[in-house]
Amino acid sequence: MTWAAWKRIKPFLAKQEDDWMMAGPGRVFFLSPEGRLSTWFWDSYLELSQMVGVFLMCKKTGALDLAVEHSVVDTITDKNFWRSVMEEAGVRVPMEIGRFDHGEVRINKDFAVKGTDLVCKVSDSYLGIGDKFLEAKEVQSIDNLKRIAKGSEDWKGKQVLLLEWMRPKESLGVHSLDIVTIITEAGPKVLSVLYWGECTGASSHTAKGGYCVDIESEMILSPARFYSPYFSKQPGKLVGTKLPGLKTAVDMSLRAHALAHKKQAWLMMIGWDCMFTKKDGEVVFFEGNFAASRIHRRITFSPLHAYRFLRSYF
């Protein structure tokens, strides 16, 4: 709580450093509520619960130091790692058209830049920081792409993946499935599935609605108002929406988690981001994430959830 208070006071005393929670489009998941006291409690919850969640889930893995490190920066589990895991697990991912690396654009021989819509993602970034969505008319040549790259502050000194821009199922619009899986004594299990939708932009980071989804019925059950203040007052327009193919997405997540855990034993919880495409029944996975910023919201969903987590992992 002291740290939360200091974070609010510090800008008045010294030059403010970038807050990673507020640095990108994904800030909607961390925005504070109205009122100073409410903000203090919320900030305190975020600062304390995330580290407690990582400690609780990963302390027995023998690599707690790595888990804590990766709650701040992805040194091992960058987008290259997740793409290799998902490809090995037979999960559909966007095709890699090329890369921007050390100031140079490299296009894979099977593709052409002209006529291709691109999603550009910084390999070690998060919360949409550095993401660009480029339509074919904006990218007519490699020279054009180089100019775009050189003008992007978030890309300087970074490796950027140039991926095919896959479009969502039209009836759903821009959306994502947020599937959290955890390692148990019986292997990987799904913990929760959330649906982020009612988006105003090309990414689900612009979601206006978040929902809890039932896997067995493949249906949106209720608004996820618990997740953050930003979503606490949403009307819940999509309740009752069917999501055929959800079980397939969950099975893919579990398969990929089993592989990831073999590679890095401290990956006890993973958040998978995927969506339904225009092709009937097809699910495409964008990435996996060490779920340090997701698990604590599930642990503190209710006193009963917190009790069961403590019994299982402490």
Side-chain angles (χ1 to χ4, degrees):
M1 288 187 172
T2 302
W3 175 255
W6 169 244
K7 189 168 75 170
R8 294 291 168 176
I9 297 171
K10 187 178 179 181
F12 298 101
L13 304 177
K15 184 179 178 181
Q16 188 175 13
E17 299 176 357
D18 289 339
D19 183 346
W20 67 267
M21 296 182 189
M22 296 290 111
R27 67 175 65 89
V28 296
F29 302 114
F30 302 95
L31 289 174
S32 300
E34 297 178 0
R36 293 181 181 177
L37 186 59
S38 298
T39 294
W40 179 57
F41 277 118
W42 172 248
D43 287 351
S44 299
Y45 164 75
L46 289 178
E47 296 292 346
L48 180 62
S49 64
Q50 177 168 312
M51 289 298 102
V52 169
V54 172
F55 174 77
L56 179 65
M57 296 295 295
C58 303
K59 70 184 185 68
K60 296 180 181 179
T61 64
L64 180 60
D65 54 342
L66 273 177
V68 172
E69 177 186 341
H70 282 76
S71 69
V72 180
V73 59
D74 293 318
T75 53
I76 298 173
T77 53
D78 62 3
K79 290 176 174 56
N80 294 305
F81 173 86
W82 293 115
R83 284 178 62 83
S84 68
V85 166
M86 292 185 290
E87 288 172 351
E88 188 177 343
V91 173
R92 172 74 162 99
V93 297
M95 291 183 291
E96 183 179 315
I97 308 300
R99 295 185 175 213
F100 174 77
D101 200 357
H102 296 98
E104 294 297 322
V105 175
R106 175 170 52 81
I107 302 299
N108 294 338
K109 63 180 181 179
D110 296 330
F111 300 100
V113 169
K114 190 173 183 179
T116 303
D117 296 337
L118 297 176
V119 175
C120 310
K121 299 185 79 69
V122 178
S123 64
D124 64 350
S125 191
Y126 50 86
L127 293 176
I129 298 171
D131 287 5
K132 285 189 182 299
F133 295 80
L134 304 175
E135 294 185 350
K137 61 184 178 183
E138 301 175 78
V139 189
Q140 293 295 322
S141 67
I142 291 180
D143 287 339
N144 275 357
L145 194 54
K146 285 183 177 180
R147 280 194 289 272
I148 292 171
K150 288 179 179 178
S152 302
E153 288 294 324
D154 292 326
W155 291 15
K156 288 185 177 179
K158 297 288 187 178
Q159 180 187 78
V160 181
L161 307 185
L162 310 177
L163 309 173
E164 64 171 324
W165 184 351
M166 299 195 69
R167 298 311 203 274
K169 187 175 182 178
E170 290 184 6
S171 61
L172 297 175
V174 175
H175 70 281
S176 72
L177 295 172
D178 174 353
I179 303 173
V180 174
T181 55
I182 58 175
I183 295 296
T184 71
E185 292 181 352
K189 299 292 181 182
V190 62
L191 177 61
S192 69
V193 179
L194 300 182
Y195 176 94
W196 303 109
E198 300 170 77
C199 300
T200 58
S203 164
S204 59
H205 288 130
T206 63
K208 296 292 185 182
Y211 297 86
C212 299
V213 183
D214 178 62
I215 299 170
E216 290 304 315
S217 64
E218 298 186 318
M219 185 172 70
I220 292 176
L221 288 185
S222 64
R225 295 193 177 103
F226 75 93
Y227 203 81
S228 73
Y230 181 81
F231 296 101
S232 63
K233 297 179 181 179
Q234 60 172 312
K237 298 176 182 178
L238 300 183
V239 171
T241 300
K242 297 287 286 186
L243 301 172
L246 175 63
K247 290 181 182 179
T248 299
V250 169
D251 288 343
M252 290 178 178
S253 301
L254 293 172
R255 197 162 64 237
H257 195 157
L259 280 172
H261 188 245
K262 287 180 180 178
K263 296 175 184 291
Q264 298 292 333
W266 52 272
L267 287 174
M268 295 292 290
M269 61 283 196
I270 297 175
W272 306 96
D273 299 329
C274 59
M275 77 170 188
F276 297 107
T277 72
K278 286 185 174 182
K279 185 178 179 181
D280 285 344
E282 184 180 57
V283 177
V284 62
F285 278 66
F286 304 122
E287 60 191 27
N289 299 273
F290 178 48
S293 294
R294 306 189 194 194
I295 192 67
H296 62 106
R297 305 187 200 225
R298 278 73 173 178
I299 294 173
T300 59
F301 180 75
S302 73
L304 181 59
H305 282 74
Y307 171 74
R308 287 179 174 171
F309 266 99
L310 285 169
R311 283 289 302 271
S312 298
Y313 292 96
F314 191 66

